């Protein structure tokens, strides 16, 4: 009788059939539909030679099993297969494949090639310039420069069996082979800490090649390397000249190989763009396209030779994870003709660009597309992102006839587009919004019987999608920086909605590369030489390099990935960086006193306690605390929360980072080190309590966020916790059951109240509809999470703020964990509970999360006196249903449970 059991969804480093894994020791995962007792795994070359046979492994584990065979070779394809055993019966073998990237500098023989180009104009702007409304006086076409086209002919012999292209750029590029795109990714190589690491993309171009002459084409623009970046919109932050490097590896049926490498035989010419900038936008003239430039037979006699630059292979790293792609398309919802153009509403704030079809265009006809996230209260055009080089405007010049165009080297944050230059009415079917994002698998869902909660969840999902673009950005229009504080606050929520482990692991590589020699972890990554220069020349907030709650992401984010995915390697990769950051905190604590104590005569005990506390220096504190922002211009208001809260927030995060690092050391079997870190954490907490917690459990600043963090991070002695929690509850009630928490404390607010016995108060904050609240945003038409709670005021006034900041969307984790009730209780969901909140205010909830072992799902429905709970538990997860009436162990598979609520 055939065994019906299976092993399925085979993955290597989280990916299905990757062609260029970035690690020499890949990990293998699969999903089973049975209680696995043992497995057997084999890895072989494509010729069938086995390079690793695990033998029978008596283990229930199916996730992230490390390769254990002979050293794998770079630029090589392998097959692998696995079978699983249950009750003595083996499943059929399940098979898949993977390839390896170019791991070593020695794998590279190519030269960096630099086309003839004018240097990028170096624009240096400051935060002060931004506040004062400064900026360039000349239009983009006078300051920006055209992207370049590069072409390299090469010959392919007969009986080709494999072709891999490895390519990257100092700039942003797209690759084509014989006129066909190498693949569907966009904006490669993405954002990186370019001085120390540059991601290399791999393309399987076997099907695109023909016997005889072929042509590789590269279009190369400024991108993150030389274009305008960040809050200030300054240019050339990494360099002023773009370049590219590539190797094409060819294999033939007779076993011979060839490498076609970028070098002096490459020729270049300016492309059809007047300019292409990530922030400013593109100006593209289709009349200037050199027809057939990336095809064989094209006459490039008028093109220029490139400069071949030797070396600089040490910074090249195989790209890990999923690239950026066009992940969705949104049709236009409406179009409104105005005197300045047609305003098109796509119904959703996104990161991406517009694709436009123009019928019967006249040669030279110029069409302009502007972008914004919101309209003014009366429905007129309103640019909500004001700043230097933030035009977000694309210009298309037609060659004539029926044409279709989508920008290549830019993206925008928008819901609305204004199109001008058309000769007739815009047809809605002729315009779509193309959503650009890192192509992460969507692994979770949440839906409730209240449409407002559904919309809140969708707002979080859209903000996550719009900001997980190469790196975890803060917003897709104004800054696009990889702010550490934002992802530190949001990482837990992000794991529910998408497979983010490779994405954040790669970003953590950049963060480690950017860590300073003294241990400081920068407030954003990638960090450019300009960023370092600007901080050195600034004062106050602008001079901050590392900050409490931001820099602590080096500990918090890896630990979150371990908790949600069971990924031990991410701890191994980041533990030393954590310890260096802890070392910096320790050194500063020992050397400095808060300014208010500098002239005081301190008793020895107090001085020793102060020497333990990282409570000096400039920090962002509990950033954007609502009450500190009310009624003030933003450039004045943003400094208030840092001034009020930094001295207390910094040592609280110091203690929690020590605790996280101790847990990491325990997982990594560094037990003596773990004990030392735990002792240090306890000492910091004791010193904090002695200095800042009074006999009534109160703290020096009566702000919700300070109380939330003190309780979340166990900074209050146990005997005083009830009083501190009661004070927090009082502050919430006095604020009309509304939150008054900033970036750092908002993720913990509802849980702190819940666990302190104030569940109803936590629910009232979730359901609050007055500003500031999540549902206030929903009621005012939000389709993403706003940067400021009052981005649209109660009177309808629209503020010039970002409408797409995901950090306050950390509440989405609460929806999964508390409302739906899905909660992991051991790393990687090896154990979990389903504990629905039947009193949360809705009658029906459906949710699922993607665990390493498959989907864990719940659907609960309540009536007046009963609830029905349907759960689906994957094999490999030990789950329990927890209600007020007890705990029920859940068997794998689908089951239904009735709960009496009378």
């Amino acid at each position: 009788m055939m065994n019906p059991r299976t092993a399925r969804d085979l993955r290597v480093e989280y990916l299905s059939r990757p062609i260029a894994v970035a690690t020499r020791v890949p990990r293998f995962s699969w999903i089973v539909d049975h209680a696995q007792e043992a497995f057997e795994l084999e890895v072989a070359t494509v010729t069938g030679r086995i390079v690793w046979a695990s033998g029978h492994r008596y283990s229930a584990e199916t996730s992230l099993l490390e390769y254990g065979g002979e050293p794998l070779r770079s630029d090589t394809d392998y097959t692998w297969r696995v079978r699983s055993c249950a009750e003595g019966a083996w499943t059929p073998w399940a098979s898949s494949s993977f390839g390896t990237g170019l791991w070593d500098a020695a794998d590279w023989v190519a030269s960096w090639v630099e086309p003839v180009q004018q240097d990028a104009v170096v624009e240096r702007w400051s935060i002060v310039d931004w506040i004062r409304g400064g900026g360039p006086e000349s239009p983009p076409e006078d300051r920006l420069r055209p992207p370049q086209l590069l072409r390299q002919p090469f010959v392919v012999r007969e009986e080709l069996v494999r072709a891999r292209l490895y390519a990257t750029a100092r700039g942003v590029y797209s690759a084509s082979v014989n006129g066909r795109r190498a693949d569907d990714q966009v904006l490669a190589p993405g954002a990186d800490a370019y001085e120390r690491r540059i991601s290399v993309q791999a393309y399987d171009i076997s099907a695109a090649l023909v016997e005889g002459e072929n042509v590789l084409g590269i279009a190369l623009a400024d991108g993150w390397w030389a274009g305008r970046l960040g809050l200030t919109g300054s240019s050339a932050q990494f360099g002023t000249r773009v370049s590219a490097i590539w190797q094409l590896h060819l294999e033939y049926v007779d076993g011979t190989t060839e490498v076609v490498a970028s070098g002096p035989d490459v020729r270049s010419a300016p492309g059809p763009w007047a300019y292409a900038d990530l922030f400013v936008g593109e100006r593209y003239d289709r009349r200037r396209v050199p027809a057939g430039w990336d095809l064989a037979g094209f006459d490039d006699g008028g093109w220029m030779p490139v400069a071949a630059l030797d070396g600089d292979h040490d910074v090249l790293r195989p790209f890990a994870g999923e690239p950026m792609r066009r992940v969705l398309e949104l049709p236009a919802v409406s179009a409104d003709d105005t005197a300045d153009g047609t305003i098109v509403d796509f119904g959703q704030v996104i990161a991406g660009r517009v694709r436009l079809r123009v019928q019967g265009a006249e040669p030279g006809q110029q069409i302009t597309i502007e972008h914004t996230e919101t309209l003014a209260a009366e429905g007129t055009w309103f640019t909500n992102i004001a700043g230097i080089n933030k035009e977000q405007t694309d210009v298309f010049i037609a060659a004539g006839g029926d044409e279709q165009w989508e920008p290549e080297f830019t993206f925008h944050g928008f819901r609305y587009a204004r199109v001008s230059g058309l000769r007739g009415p815009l047809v809605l079917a002729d315009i779509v919004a193309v959503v650009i994002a890192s192509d992460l698998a969507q692994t979770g869902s949440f839906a409730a019987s209240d449409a407002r909660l559904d919309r809140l969840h969708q707002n979080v999902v859209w903000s996550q999608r719009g900001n997980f673009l190469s790196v975890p950005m803060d917003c897709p229009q104004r800054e696009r920086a990889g702010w550490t504080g934002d992802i530190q606050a949001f990482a837990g929520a992000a794991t529910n909605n998408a497979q983010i482990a490779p994405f954040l692991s790669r970003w953590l590589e950049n963060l480690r590369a950017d860590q300073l020699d003294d241990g400081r972890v920068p407030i954003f990554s990638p960090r450019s030489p300009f960023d370092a220069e600007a901080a050195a020349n600034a004062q106050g907030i602008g001079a901050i390099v590392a900050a409490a709650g931001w820099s602590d992401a080096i500990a918090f984010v890896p630990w979150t990935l371990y908790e949600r995915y069971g990924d031990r390697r991410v701890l191994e990769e980041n533990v030393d960086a954590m310890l260096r950051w802890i070392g910096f905190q320790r050194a500063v604590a020992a050397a400095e006193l808060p300014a208010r104590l500098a002239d005081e005569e301190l008793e020895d005990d107090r001085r020793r306690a102060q020497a333990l506390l990282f409570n000096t220096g400039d920090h962002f504190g509990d950033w954007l605390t609502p009450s500190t922002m009310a009624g003030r211009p933003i450039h004045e208001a943003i400094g208030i929360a840092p001034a009020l809260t930094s001295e207390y927030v910094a040592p609280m995060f110091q203690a929690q980072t020590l605790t996280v690092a101790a847990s990491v050391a325990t997982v990594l079997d560094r037990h003596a080190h773990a004990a030392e870190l735990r002792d240090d954490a306890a000492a910091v907490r004791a010193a904090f309590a002695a200095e800042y917690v009074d006999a009534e459990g109160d703290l020096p600043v009566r702000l919700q966020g300070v109380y939330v963090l003190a309780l979340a991070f166990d900074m209050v002695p146990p005997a005083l916790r009830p009083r501190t929690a009661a004070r927090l509850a009082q502050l919430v009630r006095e604020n009309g059951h509304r939150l008054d928490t900033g970036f750092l404390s908002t993720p913990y607010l509802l849980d702190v109240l819940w666990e302190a016995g104030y569940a109803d108060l936590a629910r009232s904050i979730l359901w609050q509809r007055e500003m500031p609240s999540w549902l206030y945003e929903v009621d005012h038409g939000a389709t993403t999470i706003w940067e400021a709670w009052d981005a649209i005021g109660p009177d309808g006034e629209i503020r010039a703020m970002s409408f797409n900041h995901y950090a306050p969307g950390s509440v989405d984790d609460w929806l999964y964990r508390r409302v739906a009730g899905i909660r992991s209780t051991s790393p990687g969901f090896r154990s979990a509970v389903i504990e629905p909140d039947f009193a949360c205010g809705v009658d029906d909830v459906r949710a699922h999360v993607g665990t390493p072992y498959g989907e864990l799902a719940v659907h609960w429905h309540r009536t007046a006196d009963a609830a029905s709970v349907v759960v689906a538990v994957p094999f490999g997860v030990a789950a329990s249903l927890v209600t007020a009436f007890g705990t029920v162990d859940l068997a794998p598979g689908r089951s239904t449970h009735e709960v009496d609520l009378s």
Side-chain angles (χ1 to χ4, degrees):
M1 179 178 177
M2 180 174 291
N3 183 357
R5 299 186 176 111
T6 60
R8 60 179 178 83
D9 197 18
L10 276 60
R11 292 181 177 267
V12 181
E13 291 300 316
Y14 298 95
L15 304 176
S16 177
R17 299 183 182 274
I19 65 169
V21 294
T23 175
R24 300 172 189 273
V25 185
R27 296 167 297 175
F28 302 88
S29 305
W30 60 95
I31 290 176
V32 294
D33 56 3
H34 53 273
Q36 177 176 288
E37 298 165 354
F39 70 87
E40 186 175 8
L41 192 153
E42 292 181 351
V43 179
T45 65
V46 292
T47 60
R49 186 177 69 83
I50 294 176
V51 295
W52 180 42
S54 70
H56 293 180
R57 295 278 186 92
Y58 291 93
S59 169
E61 190 56 73
T62 63
S63 177
L64 300 176
L65 278 300
E66 280 197 355
Y67 176 77
E70 66 181 63
L72 298 173
R73 299 177 58 189
S74 64
D75 183 38
T76 304
D77 292 337
Y78 294 91
T79 62
W80 71 285
R81 63 178 189 167
V82 66
R83 61 176 183 164
S84 176
C85 181
E87 298 177 337
W90 290 87
T91 67
W93 288 100
S95 301
S96 189
S97 62
F98 69 96
T100 56
L102 299 183
W103 290 325
D104 297 314
D107 293 326
W108 285 88
V109 297
S111 299
W112 285 90
V113 292
E114 184 179 275
V116 174
Q117 60 192 286
Q118 62 193 53
D119 283 0
V121 173
V122 178
E123 298 182 15
R124 292 291 179 261
W125 307 103
S126 68
I127 293 177
V128 173
D129 294 323
W130 172 65
I131 292 172
R132 293 176 177 172
E137 297 181 357
S138 58
E141 53 267 33
D142 291 346
R143 297 178 289 110
L144 279 66
R145 59 186 186 157
Q148 302 290 316
L149 302 179
L150 298 89
R151 70 185 309 271
Q152 182 181 41
F154 60 95
V155 174
V156 173
R157 296 188 284 109
E158 62 181 357
E159 296 187 310
L160 178 75
V161 295
R162 179 182 183 269
R164 287 285 191 276
L165 172 64
Y166 301 96
T168 192
R170 293 182 176 121
V172 63
Y173 77 98
S174 61
S176 61
V177 181
N178 295 333
R180 296 167 50 183
R181 288 292 292 263
D183 75 356
D184 60 352
Q185 63 181 288
V186 298
L187 300 174
D192 265 324
Y194 295 115
E195 291 182 301
R196 289 165 288 277
R197 63 181 312 279
I198 301 178
S199 296
V200 174
Q201 289 66 53
Y203 308 89
D204 182 353
I205 60 169
S206 305
L209 299 182
V210 297
E211 185 179 336
E213 185 177 352
N214 294 259
V215 174
L216 173 66
I218 297 286
L220 179 62
D222 287 347
W224 287 269
W225 175 264
R228 283 110 192 106
L229 298 178
L231 176 64
T232 67
S234 298
S235 70
Q237 297 190 18
F238 288 94
T240 61
R241 302 178 70 79
V242 294
S243 56
I245 189 170
W246 62 83
Q247 284 184 184
L248 174 55
H249 290 225
L250 306 175
E251 295 183 13
Y252 295 92
V253 70
D254 62 3
T256 59
T257 61
E258 295 176 6
V259 174
V260 178
S262 53
D265 61 323
V266 175
R267 298 183 71 80
S268 71
W273 299 266
Y275 58 82
D277 185 86
L278 287 173
F279 270 1
V280 174
E282 287 189 11
R283 183 180 179 90
Y284 180 89
D285 188 342
R286 181 155 282 154
R287 297 171 302 175
R288 296 175 55 193
V289 176
W293 71 274
D294 54 357
L295 295 173
F298 177 81
D299 181 6
D300 61 8
W303 287 36
M304 300 294 292
V306 299
L309 312 175
D310 293 331
D312 282 344
H313 295 150
D314 290 340
V315 298
L316 300 176
R317 302 286 188 275
F319 179 84
E322 293 287 4
M324 292 172 281
R325 293 190 175 101
R326 302 170 178 86
V327 296
L328 290 169
E329 293 184 1
L330 299 182
V333 174
S334 64
D336 181 23
D337 291 329
T338 74
D340 296 316
T342 301
I343 298 175
V344 182
D345 180 6
F346 295 101
Q348 174 64 55
V349 173
I350 68 165
R353 53 219 189 186
V354 163
R355 185 167 65 243
L356 178 67
R357 184 168 62 236
V358 184
Q359 302 184 45
E362 298 177 7
Q365 181 179 342
Q366 178 174 304
I367 299 168
T368 301
I369 308 173
E370 302 163 272
H371 304 78
T372 189
E373 291 180 322
T374 186
L375 300 180
E378 63 273 18
T380 56
W381 187 257
F382 176 80
T383 302
N384 70 296
I385 296 301
I388 302 168
N389 286 322
K390 304 298 192 294
E391 284 88 344
Q392 292 204 119
T393 299
D394 299 321
V395 179
F396 171 62
I397 300 172
D402 294 346
E403 301 188 51
Q404 182 170 279
W405 180 68
E406 174 189 330
E408 176 78 12
F409 294 124
T410 192
F411 69 93
H412 310 295
F414 69 101
R415 170 176 171 172
Y416 301 91
R418 182 165 65 180
V419 184
S420 58
L422 297 173
R423 296 291 188 262
L426 174 66
V427 178
L428 284 185
D430 287 344
I431 189 168
V432 296
V434 180
V435 181
I436 304 295
S438 288
D439 191 12
L440 311 181
Q442 300 301 294
T443 54
S445 68
F446 174 90
S449 51
D450 189 290
R452 294 168 299 168
L453 281 194
D454 280 0
R455 185 66 251 185
L456 171 58
H457 167 68
Q458 288 303 320
N459 289 357
V460 175
V461 170
W462 275 104
S463 276
Q464 179 173 337
R465 180 181 288 122
N467 283 290
F468 279 33
L469 202 156
S470 182
V471 298
M473 306 183 302
D474 59 329
C475 56
Q477 15 52 14
R478 188 185 65 215
E479 297 175 56
R480 306 178 185 178
W483 284 93
T484 48
D486 297 55
I487 192 58
Q488 178 272 123
F490 186 72
T495 63
N496 298 319
N497 295 319
Q499 171 53 266
I500 64 168
F503 174 81
L504 286 185
S505 294
R506 184 178 68 254
W507 175 75
L508 285 165
E509 286 188 40
N510 279 305
L511 185 59
R512 295 195 303 274
D514 280 330
Q515 187 173 20
L516 278 68
D517 291 341
D518 61 7
R520 281 179 293 174
V521 176
I523 53 178
F524 49 77
S525 178
R527 183 174 188 254
S528 72
F530 164 76
D531 295 322
E533 171 193 325
N537 293 327
Q539 294 180 339
I541 287 176
I544 294 175
V545 174
W550 272 252
S551 302
D552 298 286
I554 195 62
F556 283 52
V557 173
W559 184 249
T560 297
L561 295 179
Y562 174 70
E563 287 186 311
R564 301 299 176 94
Y565 297 111
D567 191 332
R568 190 175 187 271
R569 184 176 291 178
V570 75
L571 303 182
E572 295 170 343
E573 292 171 340
N574 290 283
V575 63
D576 289 341
M578 296 179 205
L579 297 176
R580 291 175 60 211
W581 167 238
I582 288 169
F584 173 81
Q585 293 173 308
R586 184 182 292 121
V588 171
E592 298 179 4
L593 283 172
R596 63 182 178 84
L597 300 178
D599 297 326
E600 285 194 27
E601 289 291 332
L602 303 182
E603 295 181 359
D604 289 345
D605 286 348
R606 190 178 183 194
R607 185 171 293 277
R608 282 193 293 269
Q610 279 289 335
L612 297 173
L613 297 176
F614 179 56
N615 58 358
T616 60
D618 291 326
H619 302 274
F620 297 111
D622 200 18
W623 184 248
L624 298 187
T625 295
S627 63
T628 67
M629 304 293 295
R632 301 175 178 90
I634 186 170
H635 65 276
E636 295 178 7
I638 57 175
I640 297 175
L644 289 175
T645 65
S646 288
E647 183 179 339
Y648 319 114
V649 164
M652 288 195 273
F653 271 90
Q654 174 196 12
Q656 191 65 9
T657 288
L658 284 164
T659 299
V660 169
S663 298
V664 170
T666 299
V667 172
L668 300 180
D669 298 321
R670 302 184 184 186
H671 298 292
H673 205 172
E676 177 186 340
L677 291 164
R678 281 193 295 270
D679 289 345
D680 288 348
V684 170
R685 288 188 170 95
F688 179 93
E691 181 68 29
Y692 299 122
V693 183
D694 70 16
E696 299 301 316
D698 271 320
L699 296 155
V701 175
R702 298 285 175 89
L703 286 173
Q704 290 179 25
V706 175
Y707 281 78
V708 166
L709 290 172
L711 291 165
F713 294 164
D714 293 323
M715 307 304 293
V716 180
L720 295 178
R721 284 183 65 87
R723 294 184 181 184
T724 306
R727 178 68 73 188
L728 171 62
Q730 178 188 350
L731 292 172
V732 172
R733 293 189 185 106
E734 289 175 351
N735 199 42
H737 289 226
R738 293 174 298 173
L739 60 81
D740 188 32
T741 46
F743 259 44
L744 296 181
S745 59
T746 295
Y748 304 99
L749 171 63
L750 301 186
D751 279 309
V752 162
L753 289 169
W754 182 282
E755 291 165 4
Y758 298 96
D760 283 343
L761 191 55
R763 296 184 187 110
S764 72
I765 294 172
L766 176 65
W767 287 106
Q768 177 61 249
R769 300 181 70 168
E770 293 184 11
M771 192 277 295
S773 70
W774 293 286
L775 294 188
Y776 171 86
E777 295 183 9
V778 170
D779 289 344
H780 284 74
T783 65
T784 41
I785 299 297
W786 299 344
E787 174 187 21
W789 300 100
D790 61 347
I792 298 178
D795 60 357
E797 180 185 358
I798 312 294
R799 298 182 63 198
M801 301 292 290
S802 163
F803 280 72
N804 199 350
H805 259 66
Y806 62 75
S810 55
V811 70
D812 202 48
D813 201 35
W814 170 273
L815 299 183
Y816 279 97
R817 291 186 295 102
R818 297 294 189 188
V819 177
I822 303 174
R823 193 164 70 252
S824 176
T825 54
S826 64
F829 280 88
R830 258 310 188 182
S831 63
V833 297
I834 306 293
E835 188 174 4
D837 180 14
F838 299 124
C840 68
V842 294
D843 296 327
D844 194 272
V845 173
R846 296 174 184 265
H848 82 268
V849 297
T851 81
Y853 310 99
E855 287 187 1
L856 176 61
V858 62
H859 174 205
W860 63 260
H861 179 83
R862 71 158 293 165
T863 58
D865 55 5
S868 174
V869 184
V870 180
V871 296
V873 179
F875 284 90
V877 175
S880 301
L881 175 64
V882 178
T883 70
F885 306 98
T887 299
V888 177
D889 291 336
L890 300 171
R894 184 182 176 90
S895 59
T896 301
H897 308 267
E898 302 298 330
V899 181
D900 185 354
L901 301 179
S902 59

